[in-house]
Amino acid sequence: LMAPDEYNQKKEAYELEIRKYLELAIPLMVKARELAPEDANVLYALESFYARLGKKEALKEVQDRMRELGIIE
């Protein structure tokens, strides 16, 4: 495990790396959504990715769809 001080020193670099991978994952999850538009796991993943990346419009659209399907209230 990494000590908290060491993590804090590397946090920005880790966050950039995470964002890069989330951006790469989004097109794959969008394709998964096309193939399984009612799959809650796909929608939850997209919701998480969009929230983490601050993509508010895309996040709202996914959450609206989740509400339509009764996945969230």
Side-chain angles (χ1 to χ4, degrees):
L1 289 174
M2 189 180 307
D5 289 342
E6 183 181 358
Y7 175 78
N8 287 332
Q9 291 173 354
K10 296 180 179 182
K11 183 178 179 181
E12 189 173 322
Y14 289 144
E15 186 62 31
L16 290 173
E17 184 104 2
I18 290 166
R19 293 177 69 80
K20 178 178 80 172
Y21 286 113
L22 290 175
E23 290 287 357
L24 290 172
I26 286 175
L28 301 173
M29 294 308 295
V30 168
K31 182 64 176 176
R33 182 181 175 192
E34 291 172 10
L35 297 172
E38 296 183 7
D39 187 310
N41 292 320
V42 171
L43 294 168
Y44 275 122
L46 279 169
E47 179 188 37
S48 173
F49 297 171
Y50 290 144
R52 180 78 183 255
L53 294 170
K55 295 180 179 271
K56 293 178 183 177
E57 189 172 316
L59 174 61
K60 182 185 179 320
E61 186 254 320
V62 168
Q63 289 174 332
D64 288 347
R65 179 66 178 142
M66 292 171 81
R67 282 185 194 90
E68 288 174 14
L69 295 171
I71 297 170
I72 62 172
E73 294 182 11

